[in-house]
Amino acid sequence: MKAVAKFAVVVLGVALLAGAWSSHAQQALTGPQILQKVEEKGGIGGTQGELISDVKFDIIGKDKKTATNEFRFFSKRKQGEPDRLLVAFVKPDDVRGTLFLSIKPQGKDADLWLYLPALGAVKQLVNTQERKGSFAGSNLSFEDLGSGFKYSESYTADEKVTEEKIKVGDKEYATYVLTLRVKKEKEKTEDYPLRKMWVEKTEFVVLKGEGYNKTNKLETVFEALALGKFEGDTVPEKVLIKNVLDNSQTTISFLTRKRPAQPLPENLFDPNNLKNLKIDDLLKL
Amino acid sequence: MKRIFAQKIIDHPWWVIGAILLITVFFASAIPKIRFEQDFEAFLPQDDPATIALHRAEERYGDQKLFMVAVETDDTIFKPETLKKLKEMEELFEQIPEVDEVRGPTNSQVIYGTETAITVAEALPEIPETPEELEEYKERVLGDRLLRGFVVSEDGKAAGILIRLKTGEEETVGVVNSVLEIAERYQGPERIYVGGMPRLNQFIAESMRKDLSVLFPVMILVIVIVLYLSFDSLRGVVLPLLTVVLSAIWEMGTMGWLGVPFTPFSFVAPIVLMAVGTAYGIHILNRYYEEAHKDGRSRREVLVETVTAMLSPTAMAALTTVAGFFALLSSTLWPQRDFGVYTGIGVIYAALLALTLIPAILALLPLPKRERQSLFARWLQGRAGLGGLARLIERTAIIILIGAGAIAVVWAVGIPRLRIETSAKDFLGKGHPVVEALDVLERHFGGSLQTGIEIDLGVRDGLKEPEVLKKIVALQEFLETLPAVRRTTSITNLVRELNQKFHADDPNYYVIPDDRKLISQLLLLFTFQGGSLGQMALTDFSAGEVIVSMEWVSSTQMAKLVEEIQKYLDQHFAPTATASAVLTSDGSLLQIKTEQVGTMPIYARLMQQIRTSQIWSLLTSVGSSWVIVSLLMGSLVAGALCIVPLVLTILTEFGLMAYLNLPLDMSTMMIGSIAIGIGIDYAIHFVERYRLEFARDRDARRALEQTFTHTGAGISYNALALTLGFGVLWISTFKGLNTFGSLVALTMVVSATSAFTVIPAILLLWKPKFLMKHAHAY
């Protein structure tokens, strides 16, 4: 259940994490139309082509204790081919060099492999149920990060939208405020019957989100803390995902985002080759 | 002054009645605000070390209480129809909004390890249709260390569904009701039990409400009977009854406005008050009828005379009773302090209402036409009743004193055997559904009680050090040798399990790896696979808990276990001992701090507190009673004389409890102070009347007969009302309150009997000097 809740937060998060393509603001857009535009951005893997990102997770648990993880993400998306994502652990030292590989054929579940350097072995992770794990103890799950999400699969946006100005850093942005209600058939699996999201009006970047649980309490809040530019588009540089009930939170910082100078080698995404990949070499790419 | 007070009341009856009505409305409006606090663990002071440790653990690791639904069968749960039920129940429990996680035999994760893959799967995605599928499922579940004994019993006859509530969901009563409703739907032929602390607390809260709705009308009936026996008139029944009902409303209203909760020990305060408070109305009505039958008096004169005469005795009687209840303020346990304070306040209300409302209403009614004395009253005051008793005592004074002394010695010898015991389970008694559920959990799932030991390294990732984990394994092995401990769980179980799975499920790898990096990477995998560390470790792995599942033993045994565990911790983890330091992978020394947290240390502390509180509350109430009586009577000897029946009563109570093996617990430990607060009145009334009569002509025989036939009757009515009143608690749902009610009723009989026998025997044989002094108006 909890993981499903995280899933819903990530639905909001991923849209923001995605590289956002500019589009022109339109007059009198309805909720479903705005939702569709947000979805067109896709997830982190939604960015077509190859991308290398360095990402830092600052986690504060409900016990107020902190943990920090740093990763390098290699993603490859090409029309008609499976989405590929390799995550290399950089920090802390104990887990440095641990690798996760996700290969997700279109319309199918992702296949996952894990390489633990201390064991020197690669294991396929076969998970017959919905992947619920939190990514390195954060408020995100591994598969959430690896897949694109469709809000409209589970939610219906109210036709009517309101407008509001919200601040990210020093700058104020005009946003549409969408109310999403869970579809009847998804009531059992979704933890949030109601969600709200604040969508920036020109580029349809999600700047804020809220998830209300079945007791109608606000449970999770997603917030963009800083925005930047990537290839001319507005993209998030830092986002906060917080569970307001247990006060756990994850701050995700994008340290770098770049296109690889050379095409990524094919064997980077080969499960049989995982144990040959060295973290220091990966960091040079 | 007294006369002016009386005149004001009698001359302005409507004002008095109106004001009382307004105050009643004010107090009544706050009664719905009263909440119920039933968590035994909340009864210790907030600054108690055990409470502080528990709160810190809850903040760090979440709820420390076990909540489980057990499904018991005669043969096996591995049948399609039972499995279908389990699956459906798990799904329904998950739909309860406040529920965060449901873990049962069908939806739990099972992890398999092979040479090439790690598989994480739901234990039972589909209900098996063939015997082969059923057998395969059985092997899968019973072969998994993390499931066997947790969600399926070792013998396969019972299944357990663990329910975890969302963080911040304080109100568990509604959730338990939803769970019970679902469980009831699937009841039979399987037996379904809902157990654990939230269920226990819900049951206690529900029982308190039920008890109140039953005890109130029964108490009113008892009061009506006693009043009818005393007065045989409508006003004689209605007026004292009205004052106690109103005083109970005022008392509850005060609690409501001040935000004081009802606890299983204090919720009977209004019931107790009704029993205690009736005496004031009885005495005032008694005097009213006496004055009304003196010739040629107007209604106003009768009432002014009654109120003037009764003001001091009523106030003084109330004062000593209040002192007895307020003595519970010396208790370190707040539910007892609340009981003492609010019953004491209620006594003040009852006395005040008796002195104002009764005369105000009587001022509006005509004087009674005939003398009202019931058959019972006539018998009691006749030669066969108290008069005969007076003569008997005169003849047997020495025998009485020797007999009382001998009985006191017998009781005193037994007292060292008195055991101190307190647990919610004992308070409820055997046979309750909630206790049955606890027994089922104990039979099949490693105990119904969960407690913990916190291991705090104080540094990030300390729990990933192999040497630390090996020390924790040793601690777990020691704990599992203790008699009541069924199993222990910690991060070491997880690390060992993952190590085995990652080595193709080879059982030889069920050990703590020597490589810290491997431990880190295994734990990383666990979080990726949806695992929740819960109580096992903090986010930064600087601390974690060893969770101890055990049988629900007596609190005496719990205290012993806490001591034994502490001895081990002091030997192996004490901050000063070199044994507590371990060498880390990077060559530095790491100190391990340990602390017991949860139910067991809380109960151990409760035991200590009960012992201390009992001694202090008894000393305070005896001391304050002596001081008050001495001041009232102007003699320390008189004060001491009045204490004698109380000492006998206390010795009888504790001696009897010791011989009957009844424990001194949070409810029975209040009896001493109550017995003193109420029982002292009998002695005061008796001694004061005797002194008054003796002072007239120094004729001890006449003084004794007069005291018995007049004051003795009042004492008898009072004792009867209190004995029957406290006896009402016999019908309470709580075994603890049954015992409490019976013992208080007994102490009322003993203290009245002592006042009627031991005091006159002493007075006849000794004739102390204070008898010669001028008697007070009391």
Side-chain angles (χ1 to χ4, degrees):
Chain A
M1 293 256 289
K2 197 174 182 179
V4 180
K6 286 173 187 162
F7 171 93
V9 172
V10 173
V11 167
L12 292 174
V14 169
L16 180 61
L17 299 176
W21 267 243
S22 297
S23 70
H24 299 290
Q26 295 177 23
Q27 293 298 312
L29 284 172
T30 65
Q33 286 170 331
I34 296 165
L35 184 61
Q36 193 187 345
K37 286 191 175 294
V38 169
E39 282 188 9
E40 281 166 10
K41 309 294 182 198
I44 189 168
T47 304
Q48 291 292 317
E50 296 178 346
L51 190 71
I52 300 175
S53 338
D54 291 316
V55 186
K56 185 169 86 158
F57 280 34
D58 289 301
I59 302 155
I60 302 176
K62 60 184 174 190
D63 48 35
K64 313 269 191 300
K65 297 289 181 183
T66 60
T68 300
N69 290 291
E70 281 185 31
F71 316 93
R72 172 160 280 203
F73 284 47
F74 301 88
S75 64
K76 187 173 184 177
R77 284 198 76 183
K78 204 171 169 187
Q79 204 67 42
E81 287 186 14
D83 294 343
R84 295 175 176 88
L85 177 70
L86 177 73
V87 180
F89 280 68
V90 181
K91 282 182 185 169
D93 286 346
D94 278 353
V95 295
R96 185 180 167 90
T98 301
L99 300 172
F100 270 89
L101 174 64
S102 160
I103 299 180
K104 186 182 182 302
Q106 300 294 327
K108 291 183 181 170
D109 284 344
D111 291 320
L112 296 176
W113 288 267
L114 167 75
Y115 171 67
L116 298 187
L119 202 67
V122 177
K123 299 275 179 180
Q124 182 172 9
L125 294 178
V126 184
N127 198 329
T128 62
Q129 51 192 339
E130 183 188 1
R131 287 197 180 83
K132 295 178 175 182
S134 69
F135 185 81
S138 74
N139 286 0
L140 299 173
S141 79
F142 179 68
E143 195 180 44
D144 293 342
L145 283 169
S147 312
F149 294 102
K150 301 280 183 194
Y151 298 114
S152 52
E153 280 181 7
S154 303
Y155 291 89
T156 309
D158 284 2
E159 288 285 324
K160 203 178 160 188
V161 292
T162 56
E163 294 183 12
E164 205 177 290
K165 285 186 175 172
I166 62 168
K167 265 185 135 180
V168 178
D170 295 334
K171 207 175 161 192
E172 202 169 54
Y173 293 86
T175 63
Y176 295 115
V177 184
L178 267 68
T179 303
L180 307 182
R181 295 176 203 280
V182 72
K183 290 179 178 173
K184 193 87 187 154
E185 64 272 20
K186 294 284 181 179
E187 275 176 357
K188 282 189 176 177
T189 51
E190 292 294 340
D191 262 8
Y192 300 132
L194 180 80
R195 297 200 292 114
K196 284 185 177 179
M197 63 185 201
W198 284 253
V199 180
E200 196 275 325
K201 288 176 75 173
T202 55
E203 296 190 57
F204 296 96
V205 180
V206 181
L207 300 184
K208 188 181 164 189
E210 288 178 348
Y212 293 83
N213 66 19
K214 286 173 182 167
T215 52
N216 207 23
K217 281 182 191 161
L218 175 62
E219 187 167 311
T220 50
V221 174
F222 161 89
E223 245 177 283
L225 300 179
L227 297 173
K229 288 283 181 186
F230 179 66
E231 296 178 344
D233 298 315
T234 302
V235 291
E237 280 184 344
K238 192 184 262 188
V239 295
L240 172 77
I241 299 167
K242 185 172 182 178
N243 182 322
V244 292
L245 292 184
D246 67 13
N247 278 324
S248 64
Q249 63 175 61
T250 305
T251 306
I252 302 168
S253 307
F254 282 79
L255 306 174
T256 60
R257 252 193 205 93
K258 63 181 181 187
R259 298 287 183 192
Q262 304 290 323
L264 293 173
E266 272 305 312
N267 65 6
L268 202 63
F269 303 104
D270 177 0
N272 296 319
N273 189 47
L274 278 183
K275 60 182 169 200
N276 300 322
L277 297 175
K278 298 284 172 267
I279 183 70
D280 293 330
D281 296 338
L282 290 172
L283 292 176
K284 286 177 194 156
L285 287 174
Chain B
M1 191 70 179
K2 288 182 219 165
R3 191 162 288 276
I4 294 170
F5 171 80
Q7 286 166 348
K8 292 271 181 208
I9 303 278
I10 284 82
D11 293 342
H12 303 94
W14 286 113
W15 279 105
V16 173
I17 294 167
I20 287 171
L21 268 178
L22 276 178
I23 296 169
T24 305
V25 169
F26 168 75
F27 280 127
S29 67
I31 294 175
K33 292 178 200 279
I34 301 180
R35 62 188 173 83
F36 288 76
E37 174 61 80
Q38 58 281 331
D39 191 347
F40 270 55
E41 290 164 6
F43 295 160
L44 273 179
Q46 291 304 296
D47 57 355
D48 189 276
T51 312
I52 293 171
L54 178 71
H55 287 171
R56 204 190 57 224
E58 279 177 345
E59 268 173 30
R60 294 177 116 183
Y61 305 104
D63 199 354
Q64 304 280 300
K65 297 174 197 105
L66 186 74
F67 187 20
M68 194 180 202
V69 175
V71 178
E72 195 181 35
T73 62
D74 289 326
D75 44 10
T76 176
I77 64 145
F78 297 103
K79 293 175 290 190
E81 58 275 21
T82 305
L83 293 173
K84 186 168 177 280
K85 277 187 179 184
L86 287 166
K87 196 165 186 59
E88 284 177 11
M89 276 198 286
E90 284 168 14
E91 283 168 7
L92 288 169
F93 293 146
E94 278 183 344
Q95 297 305 311
I96 299 171
E98 294 86 355
V99 168
D100 184 34
E101 190 185 350
V102 175
R103 211 181 128 213
T106 80
N107 72 350
S108 286
Q109 271 189 359
V110 281
I111 305 175
Y112 317 87
T114 63
E115 284 293 341
T116 55
I118 294 285
T119 302
V120 182
E122 194 170 280
L124 188 67
E126 301 293 333
I127 303 298
E129 287 175 355
T130 64
E132 292 76 29
E133 283 175 352
L134 208 55
E135 194 54 36
E136 194 186 316
Y137 166 67
K138 186 178 172 180
E139 274 175 28
R140 193 160 60 233
V141 176
L142 289 178
D144 193 309
R145 276 195 204 89
L146 298 174
L147 299 186
R148 189 179 63 230
F150 283 98
V151 294
V152 178
S153 64
E154 303 264 352
D155 60 4
K157 284 186 174 177
I161 303 172
L162 288 155
I163 299 171
R164 192 202 302 272
L165 301 183
K166 282 182 181 161
T167 308
E169 290 298 344
E170 300 275 323
E171 186 47 64
T172 58
V173 173
V175 183
V176 179
N177 284 333
S178 306
V179 170
L180 283 173
E181 194 259 314
I182 293 166
E184 194 50 43
R185 248 187 273 168
Y186 289 91
Q187 196 71 256
E190 299 87 354
R191 297 172 295 282
I192 305 176
Y193 305 89
V194 179
M197 272 296 177
R199 164 65 173 136
L200 187 69
N201 290 337
Q202 176 267 358
F203 184 84
I204 293 174
E206 191 185 85
S207 301
M208 283 197 280
R209 288 191 176 90
K210 212 186 279 174
D211 263 20
L212 274 179
S213 64
V214 174
L215 290 175
F216 258 115
V218 175
M219 178 55 92
I220 287 171
L221 185 69
V222 167
I223 292 173
V224 167
I225 292 169
V226 174
L227 292 173
Y228 180 77
L229 284 174
S230 310
F231 298 111
D232 187 23
S233 75
L234 187 64
R235 69 182 71 175
V237 171
V238 171
L239 294 182
L241 181 66
L242 188 62
T243 59
V244 288
V245 169
L246 291 187
S247 59
I249 292 172
W250 288 23
E251 181 200 27
M252 288 190 284
T254 307
M255 292 175 79
W257 282 118
L258 295 178
V260 178
F262 270 148
T263 67
F265 306 98
S266 66
F267 84 98
V268 286
I271 309 290
V272 170
L273 171 65
M274 287 170 76
V276 176
T278 317
Y280 308 123
I282 290 176
H283 286 300
I284 290 170
L285 259 293
N286 216 9
R287 187 65 179 236
Y288 167 73
Y289 280 119
E290 200 180 320
E291 294 295 332
H293 293 100
K294 289 179 183 167
D295 291 336
R297 315 273 293 270
S298 70
R299 179 169 63 184
R300 188 176 183 278
E301 283 168 333
V302 165
L303 283 168
V304 169
E305 200 51 48
T306 303
V307 175
T308 308
M310 291 308 295
L311 190 59
S312 286
T314 308
M316 292 305 130
L319 190 65
T320 48
T321 307
V322 169
F325 281 113
F326 276 14
L328 287 171
L329 270 175
S330 60
S331 168
T332 46
L333 304 168
W334 65 263
Q336 294 176 339
R337 289 202 300 271
D338 279 4
F339 175 81
V341 168
Y342 292 99
T343 313
I345 290 173
V347 166
I348 296 171
Y349 290 154
L352 196 66
L353 283 163
L355 284 167
T356 52
L357 185 63
I358 291 180
I361 295 176
L362 288 173
L364 300 172
L365 300 174
L367 284 174
K369 289 192 179 71
R370 60 181 174 89
E371 190 176 351
R372 307 307 295 246
Q373 200 173 35
S374 67
L375 273 177
F376 172 71
R378 279 201 289 275
W379 170 83
L380 191 68
Q381 287 173 264
R383 289 186 66 81
L386 292 168
L389 183 62
R391 286 190 300 283
L392 181 70
I393 286 166
E394 208 184 323
R395 290 198 299 274
T396 56
I398 292 180
I399 299 169
I400 286 171
L401 286 185
I402 294 170
I407 292 169
V409 169
V410 170
W411 293 139
V413 167
I415 288 176
R417 294 189 204 175
L418 185 62
R419 63 189 175 97
I420 300 173
E421 195 64 75
T422 200
S423 84
K425 202 176 165 183
D426 285 346
F427 191 73
L428 293 175
K430 279 184 183 147
H432 277 281
V434 70
V435 175
E436 274 178 16
L438 291 175
D439 291 341
V440 170
L441 291 180
E442 256 163 37
R443 243 189 342 265
H444 299 292
F445 301 103
S448 58
L449 187 70
Q450 193 170 302
T451 190
I453 296 165
E454 189 186 29
I455 312 287
D456 193 345
L457 287 312
V459 293
R460 179 183 295 277
D461 294 332
L463 275 181
K464 293 176 181 171
E465 285 294 340
E467 290 310 311
V468 171
L469 295 179
K470 285 174 187 173
K471 246 176 133 57
I472 297 173
V473 171
L475 168 64
Q476 286 179 254
E477 283 168 358
F478 159 74
L479 290 169
E480 286 170 7
T481 63
L482 297 175
V485 175
R486 290 293 194 82
R487 70 167 73 240
T488 61
T489 317
S490 80
I491 194 165
T492 66
N493 298 69
L494 183 65
V495 170
R496 286 180 284 177
E497 191 75 21
L498 288 168
N499 196 34
Q500 179 180 326
K501 303 288 181 197
F502 253 77
H503 286 90
D505 225 350
D506 181 350
N508 291 323
Y509 283 90
Y510 189 73
V511 290
I512 300 292
D514 289 321
D515 181 357
R516 176 192 156 121
K517 284 189 175 175
L518 179 55
I519 294 170
S520 296
Q521 289 165 24
L522 289 172
L523 289 169
L524 179 77
L525 164 79
F526 178 72
T527 57
F528 270 39
Q529 286 302 310
S532 158
L533 291 166
Q535 287 163 258
M536 290 191 282
L538 296 181
T539 307
D540 65 353
F541 291 91
S542 63
E545 278 191 342
V546 175
I547 303 145
V548 184
S549 301
M550 53 189 291
E551 292 167 30
W552 197 306
V553 291
S554 71
S555 49
T556 317
Q557 285 168 289
M558 279 191 210
K560 274 187 196 154
L561 281 170
V562 166
E563 210 174 297
E564 215 167 320
I565 293 169
Q566 196 55 50
K567 207 185 285 173
Y568 180 92
L569 296 177
D570 289 344
Q571 273 172 7
H572 298 84
F573 295 91
T576 49
T578 46
S580 75
V582 291
L583 200 60
T584 64
S585 308
D586 61 8
S588 59
L589 274 176
L590 199 57
Q591 291 286 341
I592 309 173
K593 276 193 229 157
T594 55
E595 184 168 24
Q596 297 188 61
V597 287
T599 309
M600 216 161 59
I602 290 275
Y603 272 100
R605 288 289 298 166
L606 271 176
M607 297 272 294
Q608 283 177 5
Q609 299 287 336
I610 286 176
R611 190 178 287 119
T612 321
S613 294
Q614 178 68 92
I615 293 166
W616 277 109
S617 66
L618 277 181
L619 286 177
T620 313
S621 49
V622 170
S624 58
S625 297
W626 186 24
V627 170
I628 291 170
V629 177
S630 300
L631 284 173
L632 285 175
M633 297 194 176
S635 160
L636 287 171
V637 175
L641 182 68
C642 291
I643 297 295
V644 172
L646 302 182
V647 173
L648 280 173
T649 308
I650 302 280
L651 287 176
T652 308
E653 180 214 334
F654 289 139
L656 192 70
M657 284 173 70
Y659 287 120
L660 294 178
N661 199 28
L662 293 171
L664 185 65
D665 60 20
M666 281 181 70
S667 54
T668 51
M669 69 159 281
M670 297 192 291
I671 297 171
S673 300
I674 294 170
I676 292 168
I678 302 170
I680 190 88
D681 285 358
Y682 305 148
I684 296 172
H685 282 294
F686 194 93
V687 171
E688 196 55 33
R689 183 68 184 241
Y690 182 85
R691 179 156 76 153
L692 198 72
E693 296 294 339
F694 188 77
R696 283 190 187 157
D697 52 11
R698 305 205 172 179
D699 180 346
R701 175 188 281 190
R702 194 200 60 77
L704 195 64
E705 275 190 24
Q706 284 298 309
T707 305
F708 262 100
T709 48
H710 290 94
T711 305
I715 292 173
S716 303
Y717 296 144
N718 198 353
L720 183 67
L722 288 165
T723 307
L724 293 176
F726 280 104
V728 165
L729 294 178
W730 233 127
I731 58 169
S732 163
T733 325
F734 300 104
K735 182 177 169 268
L737 287 181
N738 303 152
T739 314
F740 171 79
S742 315
L743 285 170
V744 180
L746 176 80
T747 59
M748 292 300 106
V749 173
V750 175
S751 56
T753 310
S754 304
F756 278 160
T757 53
V758 179
I759 288 184
I762 294 174
L763 289 171
L764 285 170
L765 293 172
W766 180 25
K767 295 192 179 58
K769 280 182 190 164
F770 77 87
L771 288 178
M772 313 304 167
K773 286 187 193 170
H774 173 67
H776 288 224
Y778 188 87

